[in-house]
Amino acid sequence: MAKQLDYHTIRAIFTRFHEAEPEPKGELDHVNAYTLVVAVALSAQATDAGVNRATRELFKIADTPQKMLDLGEEGLIEHIKTIGLYRNKAKNVMKLSKILVEDYGGIVPNSRAALQSLPGVGRKTANVVLNMWWHYPAQAVDTHIFRVGNRTGICPGKNVDAVERAIEDNIPVDFQQHAHHWLILHGRYHCKARKPMCPTCIIRDLCQFEDKTI
């Protein structure tokens, strides 16, 4: 684990991220808050590309909780059976859809606690939805962010909760809205787990990773 970087270095890093991509976007396709919740819930242990392929036709016919209930669990499975753990995920989607209809009038709530009360929705999923749909600077820490944070020193921590706090505590507020997207994309396409692309990394000179590739 790298040491926590200082304020000026972190500001320089995120200035470069911003210059390279001013408005980073999440890569899960969705049309509203509900389909975003479903897409993120389906993405656990699956790729965004795989989820997008599965939901492309699904969201054309089931873009609200009631429409999902009308489709039924078996109908949902037909669309998502290419995704890992699809049976359990289908059960959770049906359960959360029922709760949204019965307890929230079909509207997705926008508090972290209410979102996390839904089946299959953990803190990371809730943070993604709060950030992407309501533009709240919530930080959804996944494996990419955990790796980048600890390698670089941007937001080191022994677990995802510690990394989330390190992001909130150390990254300047003007970068908080997009912070988790910049970190995810950097980890997904540059600071890869097995073969980090250090020679072409835009923050190479600011990063504390001791095992930089040539």
Side-chain angles (χ1 to χ4, degrees):
M1 183 191 302
K3 291 176 59 178
Q4 176 67 57
L5 293 172
D6 63 74
Y7 173 85
H8 298 291
T9 304
I10 291 176
R11 174 163 283 283
I13 286 172
F14 280 90
T15 296
R16 293 184 190 179
F17 284 158
H18 178 267
E19 290 172 348
E21 190 165 6
E23 296 289 332
K25 304 293 184 185
E27 297 183 326
L28 284 172
D29 294 338
H30 60 283
V31 297
N32 54 30
Y34 171 70
T35 54
L36 179 57
V37 170
V38 173
V40 180
L42 293 176
S43 70
Q45 300 182 48
T47 65
D48 288 359
V51 172
N52 289 340
R53 284 193 296 271
T55 59
R56 188 171 295 119
E57 296 302 317
L58 172 65
F59 290 160
K60 291 179 182 178
I61 59 174
D63 60 354
T64 70
Q66 186 59 58
K67 289 180 182 177
M68 189 67 75
L69 293 175
D70 294 341
L71 176 63
E73 187 174 323
E74 290 305 315
L76 171 58
I77 285 174
E78 281 302 306
H79 286 276
I80 68 169
K81 60 187 178 182
T82 56
I83 300 175
L85 307 175
Y86 67 91
R87 290 195 179 278
N88 189 56
K89 291 177 180 179
K91 291 182 185 300
N92 283 334
V93 169
M94 301 311 292
K95 288 178 182 176
L96 72 84
S97 299
K98 188 172 187 289
I99 291 172
L100 289 175
V101 169
E102 294 180 349
D103 297 347
Y104 296 95
I107 305 298
V108 176
N110 62 352
S111 80
R112 185 182 285 117
L115 285 167
Q116 284 189 244
S117 72
L118 300 173
V121 177
R123 186 178 181 89
K124 184 180 78 171
T125 296
N127 282 349
V128 171
V129 176
L130 291 172
N131 184 289
M132 290 181 63
W133 192 256
W134 283 287
H135 308 295
Y136 176 76
Q139 308 301 333
V141 179
D142 68 353
T143 55
H144 296 301
I145 293 181
F146 189 81
R147 179 175 66 254
V148 172
N150 279 292
R151 273 182 178 172
T152 63
I154 293 172
C155 47
K158 293 182 178 179
N159 53 53
V160 294
D161 291 336
V163 170
E164 182 179 334
R165 287 194 299 273
I167 295 173
E168 294 173 343
D169 291 347
N170 293 285
I171 294 175
V173 294
D174 46 319
F175 295 119
Q176 288 272 338
Q177 177 62 53
H178 296 310
H180 93 274
H181 279 132
W182 279 316
L183 292 170
I184 287 172
L185 294 173
H186 190 65
R188 183 174 291 166
Y189 297 112
H190 300 284
C191 194
K192 300 177 181 180
R194 295 184 179 179
K195 294 183 179 180
M197 300 168 65
C198 299
T200 58
C201 176
I202 63 173
I203 63 167
R204 177 183 172 89
D205 58 315
L206 303 174
C207 170
Q208 291 194 56
F209 185 40
E210 294 181 353
D211 298 325
K212 290 177 184 170
T213 56
I214 296 173

